[in-house]
């Protein structure tokens, strides 16, 4: 289940979640041995979606794995949809190569035509290894699980089908009406003519006939005006059901209308000044890894609401559609980013053509898939790369302009850990800084000096109108570790540091938002793990099972007061 509602009623969709066959391929010989057609006898069963480390003691395995299963179909044109596969997937249907996809956190699909009715075999070769051209880099501060981490399905396509429908809109000054056009990605086996009906809420807004060519094509409708719209806002997250229907097919999504901008040094949502109050969330759980079920996502959203937060940063990769659907419903604003996590890349690595192009493709893909979600108000283009280097400047320029041009009405930013030497701040709408005063360096009070110094720097740079998000700050605390003295690693110290920080940020004229690092503790990778007790990043204000630490209550008290 990738969404929390049915995204097709007419189209026949069949889940491929459940039991698959699975084996590792340490010597990379599977293709030569014919695994693409049939997996060997020594496979085991694995339940998809999942991460491989959970079931087989393969937590530290990096390399090739094979997945396969049989399924029945009525035949015809089939579309295979993968929620997310870590990290590189090659796909075969009955031994015929269907295609490949790079990047572990986004949906992708392949279409196969003229499939006979009956039983077939779907096989995947999955590679979760990484090198200097990989995104993410081999060194990251989270666990790089392998596996088919989100749901898989296949669809029987008939006639002209709607693969995607983006609602592009601009609002009038009063934010009461929207001028909307729809950008559709269509598929048809043959050149054809069809009716196209698009409805928003209860109103049919487009009803026409269109001609399409063979294969995948794009169509943009005329602009229409929708009056008396109910805005999507944090206290009233109004959503409209969007249905795009052809003679034989449908596509169902949800949209919301809202306007975000930076004006006079402040962020405004729907013409009202707003402060982001949130935390960073990894989509990870000790029992599920990245394959966090929607029930846990729902619980996470409830916790964010209980905390009084109005925003979530999806560190450090696109999170599941189900989670973002839940954010849309609950009025939580979302920062969605791609997994360019700087820790490992040198300045030269950032200029590697494959890194640059993979990051660019990931941004395009994230936009393509997540475009309609109103909760996404910020795109993150990278995290903690060497933004003092000219290679980072080139990357930022390219990525920023792509997201401004094609990303819809959203703010674009990146998280910098070089606040005083960063040369890329031109390429963001709000500046974002990750820092850990009171943990890795300085004391809690160093934050006061930082705020003053950074304000001076932004003025010097001529960016006094660009507000600052403190995108990461925090301290580790082992759940249940208490003392009378204020020692690091205790819940008391973490609560004191975070309370001090958020109050200082809330008072600052320059700061427009804060994302605590982090929502909950999570398992981290080998390299970083050496400096991480329990092999966990313990800076969660909840433990990995979502049990609250003292800091949670300290933040909840403040966020809830500021909400009023
Ligand atoms: C960085 C990074 C996070 C995490 C954090 C920490 O800011 O972006 O992913 O590693 O540091 O805990 O040190």
């Amino acid at each position: 289940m990738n969404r929390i509602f049915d995204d097709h009623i007419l189209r026949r969709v069949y889940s491929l979640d459940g039991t698959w066959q699975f084996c590792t391929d340490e010597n990379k010989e599977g293709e030569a041995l014919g695994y693409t057609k049939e997996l060997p006898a020594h496979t085991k069963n694995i339940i998809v979606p999942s991460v491989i480390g959970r079931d087989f003691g393969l937590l530290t395995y990096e390399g090739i794995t094979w997945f396969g299963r049989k399924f029945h179909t009525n035949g015809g044109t089939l579309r295979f949809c993968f929620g997310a596969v870590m990290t590189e997937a090659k796909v075969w249907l009955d031994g015929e190569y269907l295609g490949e996809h790079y990047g572990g956190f986004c949906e992708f699909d392949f279409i196969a035509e003229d499939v006979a009715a009956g039983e077939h075999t779907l096989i995947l070769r999955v590679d979760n290894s990484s090198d200097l051209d990989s995104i993410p880099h081999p060194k990251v501060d989270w666990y790089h699980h392998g596996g088919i981490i989100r749901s898989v399905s296949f669809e029987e396509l008939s006639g002209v089908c709607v693969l995607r429908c983006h609602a592009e809109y601009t609002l009038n000054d009063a934010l009461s009406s929207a001028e909307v056009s729809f950008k559709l990605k269509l598929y048809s086996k043959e050149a054809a003519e069809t009716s196209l009906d698009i409805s928003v809420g209860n109103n049919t807004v487009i009803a026409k006939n269109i001609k399409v060519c063979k294969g995948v094509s794009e169509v943009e409708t005329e602009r229409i005006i929708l009056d008396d719209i109910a805005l999507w806002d944090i206290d009233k997250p109004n959503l409209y059901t969007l249905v795009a229907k052809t003679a034989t097919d449908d596509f169902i999504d949800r949209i919301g209308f809202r306007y975000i901008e930076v004006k006079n040094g402040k962020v405004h949502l729907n013409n009202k000044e707003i402060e982001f109050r949130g935390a960073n969330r990894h989509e990870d759980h000790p029992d599920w890894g990245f394959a966090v079920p929607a029930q846990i996502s729902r619980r996470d959203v409830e916790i964010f609401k209980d905390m009084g937060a109005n925003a979530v940063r999806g560190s450090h990769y696109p999170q599941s559609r189900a989670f973002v659907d839940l954010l849309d419903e609950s009025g939580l604003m979302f920062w969605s980013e791609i997994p360019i996590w700087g820790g490992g890349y040198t300045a030269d690595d950032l200029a590697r053509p494959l890194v640059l192009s993979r990051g660019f493709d990931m941004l395009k893909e994230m936009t393509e898939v997540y475009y309609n979600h109103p909760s996404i108000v910020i795109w993150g283009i990278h995290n903690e790369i060497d933004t003092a280097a000219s290679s980072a400047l080139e990357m930022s320029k390219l990525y920023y302009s792509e997201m401004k041009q094609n990303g819809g009405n959203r703010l674009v930013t990146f998280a910098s850990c070089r606040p005083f030497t960063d040369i890329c701040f031109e390429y963001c709408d709000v500046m974002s800084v990750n820092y850990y005063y009171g943990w890795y360096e300085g004391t809690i009070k160093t934050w006061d000096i930082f705020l003053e110094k950074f304000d001076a720097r932004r003025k010097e740079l001529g960016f006094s109108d660009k507000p600052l998000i403190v995108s990461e700050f925090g301290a580790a605390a082992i759940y249940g570790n208490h003392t009378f003295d204020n020692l690091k690693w205790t819940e008391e110290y973490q609560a004191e540091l975070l309370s001090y920080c958020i109050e200082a940020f809330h008072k600052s004229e320059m700061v427009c938002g804060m994302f605590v690092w982090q929502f909950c503790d999570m398992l981290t990778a080998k390299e970083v793990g050496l400096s991480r007790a329990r092999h966990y990043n313990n800076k969660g204000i909840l433990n990995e099972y979502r049990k609250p630490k003292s800091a949670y209550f300290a933040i909840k008290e403040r966020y809830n007061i500021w909400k009023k």
Side-chain angles (χ1 to χ4, degrees):
M1 183 180 93
N2 285 321
R3 309 299 300 270
I4 59 166
F5 53 88
D6 291 330
D7 44 4
H8 304 283
I9 290 176
L10 287 179
R11 188 184 303 172
R12 282 172 298 187
V13 181
Y14 303 85
S15 172
L16 289 174
D17 288 352
T19 305
W20 286 58
Q21 300 306 303
F22 166 85
C23 64
T24 55
D25 179 10
E26 288 82 348
N27 302 325
K28 303 186 180 172
E29 57 195 14
E31 269 154 301
L33 294 175
Y35 291 8
T36 55
K37 210 169 169 115
E38 195 179 2
L39 292 187
H42 66 262
T43 57
K44 295 179 174 168
N45 288 347
I46 188 169
I47 305 286
V48 166
S50 60
V51 294
I52 53 171
R54 292 295 115 189
D55 290 1
F56 297 110
L58 289 175
L59 187 64
T60 55
Y61 180 78
E62 284 190 6
I64 312 297
T65 47
W66 290 83
F67 293 77
R69 66 162 285 162
K70 295 197 185 302
F71 65 94
H72 275 87
T73 170
N74 302 309
T77 302
L78 306 189
R79 177 174 181 237
F80 295 91
C81 304
F82 299 89
V85 179
M86 293 301 302
T87 305
E88 195 163 8
K90 289 186 174 175
V91 184
W92 289 263
L93 176 67
D94 302 325
E96 291 283 315
Y97 184 62
L98 275 188
E100 60 192 80
H101 179 263
Y102 182 83
F105 299 99
C106 232
E107 294 174 21
F108 60 96
D109 62 84
F110 299 114
I111 291 176
E113 293 172 345
D114 301 319
V115 179
E119 190 181 81
H120 297 274
T121 306
L122 188 67
I123 304 258
L124 266 77
R125 178 189 191 269
V126 179
D127 187 354
N128 74 330
S129 63
S130 50
D131 57 29
L132 289 186
D133 281 322
S134 299
I135 299 179
H137 187 274
K139 184 183 168 197
V140 284
D141 189 7
W142 67 81
Y143 214 93
H144 204 55
H145 305 280
I148 303 179
I149 62 165
R150 295 183 193 147
S151 287
V152 187
S153 60
F154 77 92
E155 304 171 347
E156 291 173 352
L157 300 184
S158 148
V160 180
C161 298
V162 183
L163 303 184
R164 200 75 82 200
C165 175
H166 288 172
E168 292 193 353
Y169 64 87
T170 45
L171 297 169
N172 64 348
D173 289 346
L175 306 184
S176 55
S177 75
E179 197 179 317
V180 194
S181 75
F182 302 92
K183 263 198 180 161
L184 298 112
K185 191 164 138 192
L186 302 163
Y187 164 83
S188 176
K189 197 180 164 212
E190 308 295 347
E193 202 173 333
T194 177
S195 55
L196 173 69
D197 294 280
I198 299 181
S199 60
V200 175
N202 296 326
N203 301 319
T204 300
V205 295
I206 301 275
K208 62 195 293 188
N209 281 325
I210 54 166
K211 282 188 180 155
V212 298
C213 53
K214 177 178 158 60
V216 175
S217 56
E218 300 210 346
V219 165
E220 183 166 0
T221 68
E222 62 272 26
R223 297 181 86 78
I224 50 120
I225 306 285
L226 291 177
D227 287 320
D228 300 323
I229 49 167
L231 293 174
W232 184 94
D233 214 325
I234 53 172
D235 46 2
K236 278 212 182 88
N238 290 301
L239 293 173
Y240 290 83
T241 301
L242 166 72
V243 183
K245 231 187 220 174
T246 64
T248 50
D249 189 64
D250 62 356
F251 170 95
I252 305 170
D253 204 354
R254 298 190 311 195
I255 56 172
F257 299 99
R258 47 126 197 91
Y259 185 60
I260 192 152
E261 65 178 335
V262 174
K263 205 167 59 185
N264 305 326
K266 305 283 176 198
V267 175
H268 293 249
L269 177 71
N270 298 335
N271 291 345
K272 287 171 297 197
E273 191 183 322
I274 190 131
E275 178 179 65
F276 298 105
R277 294 175 202 131
N280 286 269
R281 175 192 189 252
H282 265 282
E283 192 150 73
D284 187 52
H285 186 280
D287 293 334
W288 303 92
F290 290 144
V292 172
Q295 291 89 328
I296 289 175
S297 292
R298 180 177 290 281
R299 184 85 180 106
D300 286 358
V301 168
E302 282 166 5
I303 297 170
F304 272 102
K305 292 298 276 187
D306 174 72
M307 204 205 300
N310 62 16
V312 179
R313 177 175 173 219
S315 45
H316 288 293
Y317 37 76
Q319 307 210 338
S320 61
R321 298 294 299 283
F323 180 66
V324 188
D325 283 339
L326 291 161
L327 298 177
D328 288 343
E329 276 186 357
S330 60
L332 284 160
M333 297 176 284
F334 192 48
W335 162 331
S336 187
E337 68 188 31
I338 56 163
I340 297 194
W341 189 90
Y345 298 112
T346 62
D348 288 346
D349 291 339
L350 299 173
R352 293 172 81 90
L354 205 48
V355 171
L356 208 59
S357 66
R358 281 178 165 169
F360 190 73
D361 290 347
M362 284 178 175
L363 287 170
K364 281 176 94 80
E365 197 173 45
M366 178 166 75
T367 315
E368 160 91 359
V369 172
Y370 292 81
Y371 189 88
N372 284 341
H373 288 284
S375 60
I376 300 181
V377 295
I378 300 178
W379 294 127
I381 56 176
H382 47 73
N383 176 74
E384 294 197 352
I385 59 171
D386 182 357
T387 42
S390 56
S391 51
L393 186 73
E394 288 310 307
M395 178 183 264
S396 306
K397 194 173 166 184
L398 178 73
Y399 290 5
Y400 176 75
S401 56
E402 165 61 23
M403 295 315 265
K404 286 316 284 178
Q405 218 177 317
N406 298 317
N409 169 237
R410 270 140 191 149
L411 307 179
V412 179
T413 192
F414 56 85
S416 170
C417 59
R418 289 171 172 75
F420 300 106
T421 51
D422 195 305
I423 58 166
C424 303
F425 284 137
E426 191 184 340
Y427 299 111
C428 60
D429 301 318
V430 284
M431 295 181 282
S432 302
V433 166
N434 297 347
Y435 233 87
Y436 286 87
Y437 293 118
W439 184 252
Y440 296 121
E441 66 182 272
T443 66
I444 299 180
K445 296 219 160 92
T446 315
W447 276 108
D448 298 330
I449 304 168
F450 165 84
L451 289 173
E452 258 177 51
K453 265 180 71 187
F454 191 74
D455 199 17
R457 175 147 204 260
R458 75 170 180 150
K459 286 181 181 138
E460 233 171 73
L461 291 172
F463 296 142
S464 30
D465 265 359
K466 275 194 195 189
L468 171 73
I469 293 178
V470 187
S471 35
E472 290 184 30
F473 55 101
I478 302 293
Y479 177 70
N481 185 24
H482 296 279
T483 49
F484 291 111
D485 309 296
N486 225 356
L487 297 179
K488 280 185 174 177
W489 298 95
T490 63
E491 291 198 23
E492 283 74 18
Y493 183 77
Q494 185 193 37
E496 185 194 330
L497 179 141
L498 289 174
S499 306
Y500 190 92
C501 287
I502 65 173
E503 283 187 10
F505 303 153
H506 183 60
K507 272 190 229 131
S508 162
E509 276 298 305
M510 166 182 59
V511 175
C512 68
M514 56 198 89
F515 290 89
V516 171
W517 186 268
Q518 60 175 337
F519 178 65
C520 64
D521 295 344
M522 93 294 170
L523 188 68
T524 186
K526 292 199 280 291
E527 296 81 1
V528 193
L530 296 173
S531 60
R532 299 272 187 258
R534 309 188 301 139
H535 235 292
Y536 267 70
N537 186 316
N538 295 290
K539 299 189 191 75
I541 52 173
L542 305 151
N543 78 356
E544 59 274 26
Y545 286 104
R546 281 60 171 166
K547 291 195 174 173
K549 302 180 191 171
S550 307
Y552 176 82
F553 297 104
I555 292 166
K556 171 176 170 168
E557 192 189 326
R558 288 163 179 82
Y559 277 3
N560 274 296
I561 292 174
W562 298 339
K563 223 163 78 174
K564 287 173 192 143

